[in-house]
Amino acid sequence: MSQFFERKKQELGVQLNKIQRKAVERTEGPLLLLACPGSGKTTTMIMRIGYLIEEKGISPQRIKAITFSKASANDMLERYKRFFPLLQPIDFSTIHSLAFQITRDYFSGSRYVMIEGNETNGLHKKKLLREMYRTENDEPITDDQLEELMSFISYVKNKMLPRQQWAKLKEPFPGAIEILKTYEAFKENYDVRLVDFDDMLSLAYEALDKDKNLLAKYQGRWDYIMTDESQDTSLIQHAIVEKLVAHHQNLCVVADDDQSIYTWRAAEPTYLLKFRTVYPNAYIMKMERNYRSSQNIVQTANQFIKTNKKRHDKSMFTKQPEGDPIILKRLSSEDAQFKYVLKELKELSDYGDIAILYRNNSSSTLLMSELERLGIPFYMKDSDNRFFSHWIVEDMLNFMRFSLKPERIDIYSKIASKTNAYWSSSQLKMLSRMKPTSENAFDDINLTITLKDYQIKILNEQKKWFAALNGMKPLKVIRTIRGEMGYDQMLASRAEKFGMKMTYLAQIFTTLEQIAEPLESMTAFAKRLKQLEQVTQQAKKEKTDDMLTLSTFHSSKGLEFERVYMIDLVEGVIPTEEDAEAPDLVEEARRLFYVGMTRAKTHLELISHGNESRFVEEVRKLIVPEKRLVTSQSNIVKTPINVTVPDNPNAIHSEEVLREGVFVRHRVFGAGEIVERDHERISIQFAKERKELMIDICISYRLLEIIN
């Protein structure tokens, strides 16, 4: 071991393994460092920077580190300061920050306007896209569609797709390509250059490609460049880095293709597979030892991800203890799932090292509601307040408001098109301009607007229904609006027209109905929604050491917890219906599942309900044979004498006896109750812990007997 490593071991207590040291010492030329979860990649990168400065005498100003996010850049800088407090800081930044520097230099002397980041600007990206959508479709864009449109535009830019290919792209909804063309033309033909965040990347690449003096300036600024989380880097971001290192090629790329989960943001995981095509002299190293998780978790996750074909061949391993077995729970319903998770949490006293992970933020709303009710402290890694402002939620509240105040024709005008009255656009315009003159809006409508006979009949029915809603509980109100008042029919038609995902819209209703179920009045329902919105906002702001963490799989990357509960593991959620249509998307969904699994240190539970995710089934197939194999080997291979099963005349000989609610005695663990079973396993709650046992092993080895 060199003096540098020995010195750091004494100063910091940091001891690198052989592969980590090798990665630190290989400073010249292109290096692809494939780092499995929990393999100490950040420590290795920081040590590599220190090695360059202390051992090779490189000036900190000649080193550049590029990260995926601002949070990662700040984290690496703080860790660098702790490791090397006497050294001058190096330049840590995101690729967007670097692109902004280059673009600013490129535009030196020319005027341009940023239209993203400052929403008070009149020329803001979101505002422009809203106006363009309304012009294209003659109706306002929803928040979900706006997010999809912005992601689509970002995808096109980051993929460096030429305009002649745009027409072949799959649109997030009809008309998205036309809006993209209109948006780009508007920016180009405006009085000054209009620039959004993605334009900065395009312009930075354009600058380095066309301005030789600017290229030389940036190529000469740094002698060593490192990029972190490079599996999440887009084609144009890779292209910018290629320009910067073309002269010296001293590039260290740290990545894990098994954790590439942002291809919808145009990330290019396949770039890592062809790394030697771009850099023929590249050296590829694999950091495969996991320091985070137990053997059970590491071995299962390692085998699970090997199902993917488009990946570097890696074999993650650990020297950690075996740990708890991975627990698989398949429950009858979403409600049963929440009850199970909450029951588990109530039995714990310390929540600071526990996480509940899910694919979609919609999963968190009900969970948050129950946690708040039970007084369990929690932090939301990425709360999504769009649920509370979603147009479906607003519609339900407006239906309720109008039922309570039937004279409010302004409220009815907001929901009229969401009913089954077949309003024409001209009628809706007249409706929006009307002022109330009586105690019931329907009376005003009959006097003011010319209606078809069938519309008069429908409106008379609506008048009765709105009057009836006033005496109903909120759950019944919602179901009446959906059924008798034609809302679900409208929703299906709208989803088909605008390419919306019905599974997502259905989830919103599931959440609304479960919030409404225990409440007695529509006023209480509206109040509860407002309260939950405030709780969500607060949960995003505060984080203390005793708080449970709620997070999507995406946002959990880079984090670790002692106990992890992965919930809503069902087909249609992970993978989604869209994922299931393409092998590449299935592989990404599997990577996302893998990211969730590898957040856990010692305790991992995979929880499903209804139509269980194929990924849970893949894990089950890995776990069950492994248990049988271990039992077989431990009793036959490793034991030098034949195993004799103790004679127990009272032992259970038939699996039919093993039913939920039956009390049994285990030869080793004592008395317990069977709380769950499937065709292969039983779960027994003993005095201090719950055990998952294989039925055939319990019977073969006469481990159980009935307690009368």
Side-chain angles (χ1 to χ4, degrees):
M1 185 184 291
S2 75
Q3 291 184 352
F4 173 80
F5 296 113
E6 186 60 41
R7 190 166 66 249
K8 293 304 148 188
K9 179 182 176 182
Q10 293 175 2
E11 292 174 359
L12 305 170
V14 174
Q15 184 171 359
L16 302 187
N17 64 35
K18 184 178 178 181
I19 295 296
Q20 291 170 330
R21 292 199 303 271
K22 196 173 178 181
V24 166
E25 293 174 318
R26 192 171 191 93
T27 58
E28 308 306 304
L31 168 66
L32 174 58
L33 186 58
L34 296 167
C36 288
S39 60
K41 70 177 179 66
T42 304
T43 296
T44 303
M45 288 182 71
I46 298 300
M47 291 286 280
R48 192 174 191 271
I49 293 167
Y51 183 85
L52 281 168
I53 298 170
E54 290 190 354
E55 292 296 297
K56 300 204 68 177
I58 306 300
S59 168
Q61 295 178 338
R62 308 298 298 171
I63 304 171
K64 173 70 172 174
I66 301 171
T67 65
F68 180 66
S69 68
K70 189 174 181 179
S72 297
N74 292 335
D75 178 63
M76 289 187 70
L77 177 59
E78 288 303 311
R79 198 175 301 198
Y80 173 80
K81 288 178 180 177
R82 291 200 303 270
F83 277 33
F84 303 99
L86 301 179
L87 296 183
Q88 179 184 346
I90 72 156
D91 188 1
F92 291 96
S93 76
T94 64
I95 187 70
H96 278 87
S97 175
L98 172 60
F100 181 67
Q101 292 179 40
I102 298 170
T103 302
R104 192 170 51 193
D105 283 355
Y106 188 46
F107 277 141
S108 180
S110 301
R111 186 163 172 251
Y112 68 95
V113 174
M114 284 297 302
I115 61 171
E116 197 167 8
N118 179 12
E119 297 200 17
T120 60
N121 189 336
L123 285 170
H124 190 265
K125 181 177 182 178
K126 287 185 178 180
K127 183 179 179 182
L128 290 173
L129 292 174
R130 286 184 188 278
E131 291 172 355
M132 292 171 186
Y133 181 93
R134 181 182 283 276
T135 301
E136 180 75 21
N137 295 287
D138 195 30
E139 73 170 61
I141 191 170
T142 67
D143 289 344
D144 292 336
Q145 289 172 317
L146 182 59
E147 289 295 322
E148 289 179 334
L149 180 59
M150 292 178 69
S151 294
F152 177 64
I153 293 171
S154 180
Y155 180 89
V156 170
K157 295 289 189 65
N158 278 270
K159 283 285 189 182
M160 304 176 74
L161 296 173
R163 298 197 179 198
Q164 57 268 29
Q165 292 185 17
W166 290 2
K168 301 176 183 177
L169 295 172
K170 181 181 178 181
E171 298 178 294
F173 52 78
I177 292 173
E178 287 305 312
I179 296 173
L180 167 61
K181 291 177 181 176
T182 303
Y183 175 65
E184 292 303 311
F186 179 83
K187 289 190 298 173
E188 290 168 4
N189 297 316
Y190 201 72
D191 295 339
V192 293
R193 188 70 179 258
L194 302 180
V195 179
D196 63 23
F197 289 153
D198 294 308
D199 290 330
M200 285 195 301
L201 297 172
S202 302
L203 290 166
Y205 178 77
E206 177 186 309
L208 298 176
D209 193 51
K210 293 183 177 179
D211 190 330
K212 288 185 168 48
N213 291 329
L214 193 63
L215 175 62
K217 172 185 174 180
Y218 279 92
Q219 283 183 336
R221 181 172 290 182
W222 303 294
D223 296 321
Y224 296 88
I225 293 180
M226 294 185 223
T227 65
D228 187 25
E229 300 285 2
S230 296
Q231 74 276 355
D232 297 323
T233 303
S234 69
L235 193 61
I236 196 165
Q237 293 168 352
H238 284 299
I240 291 170
V241 173
E242 286 175 27
K243 292 281 187 186
L244 296 176
V245 303
H247 180 62
H248 54 69
Q249 293 212 337
N250 292 331
L251 172 67
C252 175
V253 170
V254 183
D256 182 9
D257 49 342
D258 289 333
Q259 296 187 77
S260 179
I261 55 176
Y262 289 105
T263 59
W264 51 278
R265 288 185 186 171
E268 288 279 347
T270 55
Y271 185 91
L272 303 176
L273 292 174
K274 56 185 181 183
F275 194 74
R276 281 207 178 105
T277 304
V278 181
Y279 302 101
N281 299 322
Y283 192 79
I284 298 177
M285 298 177 60
K286 302 173 184 177
M287 290 171 53
E288 297 170 303
R289 180 175 175 182
N290 180 301
Y291 289 88
R292 173 188 300 154
S293 305
S294 65
Q295 280 190 38
N296 275 332
I297 294 170
V298 169
Q299 290 173 3
T300 305
N302 178 59
Q303 289 301 117
F304 171 77
I305 200 62
K306 285 180 181 289
T307 302
N308 278 2
K309 306 300 180 188
K310 294 183 178 180
R311 61 184 295 272
H312 281 277
D313 184 24
K314 301 186 294 295
S315 289
M316 181 171 60
F317 71 96
T318 187
K319 295 183 180 179
Q320 299 284 80
E322 183 178 284
D324 297 340
I326 296 174
I327 295 175
L328 307 183
K329 287 287 177 184
R330 185 174 185 177
L331 300 166
S332 58
S333 65
E334 186 179 24
D335 186 50
Q337 170 190 251
F338 283 128
K339 286 179 179 176
Y340 169 75
V341 172
L342 293 168
K343 181 175 179 293
E344 288 283 300
L345 293 177
K346 282 191 286 187
E347 293 175 359
L348 303 172
S349 57
D350 184 7
Y351 302 106
D353 215 0
I354 301 173
I356 300 175
L357 308 181
Y358 34 79
R359 173 70 181 265
N360 300 319
N361 264 307
S362 57
S363 298
S364 68
T365 306
L366 282 175
L367 190 57
M368 175 193 67
S369 176
E370 287 303 302
L371 291 171
E372 190 258 348
R373 187 179 62 81
L374 293 170
I376 295 176
F378 63 93
Y379 164 73
M380 299 187 76
K381 183 70 169 60
D382 50 354
S383 61
D384 183 2
N385 286 325
R386 284 183 303 166
F387 171 82
F388 299 100
S389 60
H390 195 278
W391 55 273
I392 287 180
V393 178
E394 282 298 312
D395 283 350
M396 292 301 105
L397 289 173
N398 280 329
F399 271 92
M400 293 179 183
R401 288 172 186 136
F402 181 66
S403 72
L404 295 172
K405 296 184 177 181
E407 75 279 3
R408 291 286 301 274
I409 198 165
D410 58 319
I411 296 177
Y412 182 75
S413 68
K414 295 177 181 179
I415 56 174
S417 64
K418 311 294 178 64
T419 67
N420 55 0
Y422 302 101
W423 293 95
S424 68
S425 57
S426 60
Q427 287 175 325
L428 289 172
K429 285 179 182 177
M430 289 182 65
L431 192 61
S432 66
R433 299 191 193 107
M434 287 179 59
K435 303 295 181 184
T437 60
S438 69
E439 294 182 357
N440 195 292
F442 290 109
D443 296 337
D444 290 339
I445 292 169
N446 280 319
L447 291 172
T448 309
I449 299 177
T450 302
L451 301 169
K452 304 284 187 183
D453 289 343
Y454 66 83
Q455 287 182 304
I456 295 173
K457 183 179 179 181
I458 292 171
L459 289 179
N460 287 334
E461 287 295 316
Q462 285 189 13
K463 184 177 181 180
K464 293 176 184 177
W465 277 119
F466 274 109
L469 293 182
N470 215 333
M472 296 179 188
K473 291 185 179 181
L475 178 60
K476 189 174 181 182
V477 169
I478 294 172
R479 290 178 175 171
T480 300
I481 294 167
R482 296 182 65 183
E484 282 78 3
M485 302 183 75
Y487 193 90
D488 275 2
Q489 182 181 348
M490 175 283 303
L491 196 65
S493 174
R494 191 179 180 88
E496 184 178 0
K497 180 180 178 181
F498 295 105
M500 298 176 185
K501 299 170 184 174
M502 278 301 295
T503 51
Y504 172 65
L505 301 180
Q507 177 63 43
I508 291 173
F509 270 120
T510 299
T511 302
L512 281 175
E513 290 184 1
Q514 290 186 346
I515 292 172
E517 186 174 9
L519 302 175
E520 294 294 322
S521 70
M522 291 184 280
T523 304
F525 175 71
K527 185 177 179 181
R528 182 58 177 159
L529 284 178
K530 180 58 68 176
Q531 182 184 14
L532 289 176
E533 184 176 12
Q534 293 170 351
V535 169
T536 303
Q537 292 169 347
Q538 192 65 28
K540 176 68 176 172
K541 294 176 183 176
E542 292 184 3
K543 173 70 172 79
T544 60
D545 291 341
D546 64 339
M547 284 184 171
L548 171 78
T549 296
L550 306 181
S551 174
T552 61
F553 297 143
H554 281 99
S555 293
S556 72
K557 191 151 73 72
L559 304 179
E560 58 183 38
F561 307 90
E562 285 294 334
R563 301 175 72 91
V564 168
Y565 298 87
M566 294 170 61
I567 65 171
D568 283 337
L569 304 181
V570 300
E571 285 288 307
V573 174
I574 184 165
T576 64
E577 293 174 3
E578 292 81 2
D579 293 338
E581 294 173 1
D584 284 353
L585 294 179
V586 171
E587 290 212 352
E588 176 162 12
R590 188 177 285 109
R591 293 194 295 268
L592 187 58
F593 198 96
Y594 171 80
V595 165
M597 292 178 68
T598 53
R599 299 311 94 201
K601 295 180 184 178
T602 59
H603 187 92
L604 174 63
E605 297 200 25
L606 309 181
I607 306 170
S608 62
H609 54 85
N611 189 14
E612 184 179 75
S613 167
R614 68 187 69 182
F615 300 143
V616 177
E617 183 58 30
E618 288 177 17
V619 172
R620 177 175 284 110
K621 288 178 180 177
L622 292 170
I623 290 174
V624 175
E626 182 182 86
K627 285 185 176 180
R628 287 173 174 163
L629 180 63
V630 168
T631 302
S632 174
Q633 289 177 339
S634 62
N635 284 286
I636 298 174
V637 178
K638 294 183 179 179
T639 308
I641 58 173
N642 292 328
V643 175
T644 302
V645 178
D647 184 35
N648 181 4
N650 299 320
I652 295 172
H653 296 281
S654 171
E655 65 177 74
E656 283 73 23
V657 179
L658 300 174
R659 300 185 303 273
E660 291 183 14
V662 172
F663 286 87
V664 296
R665 186 181 304 281
H666 188 280
R667 199 170 66 218
V668 177
F669 304 121
E673 179 187 1
I674 300 175
V675 292
E676 191 174 341
R677 75 157 282 174
D678 57 26
H679 61 288
E680 293 181 321
R681 295 173 302 160
I682 53 174
S683 179
I684 303 178
Q685 181 64 56
F686 295 102
K688 294 184 178 180
E689 59 185 335
R690 182 176 297 183
K691 292 286 186 181
E692 298 272 346
L693 304 173
M694 300 298 298
I695 292 173
D696 57 353
I697 292 174
C698 288
I699 292 174
S700 299
Y701 288 85
R702 303 172 192 169
L703 297 178
L704 300 174
E705 60 181 79
I706 295 286
I707 298 178
N708 296 321

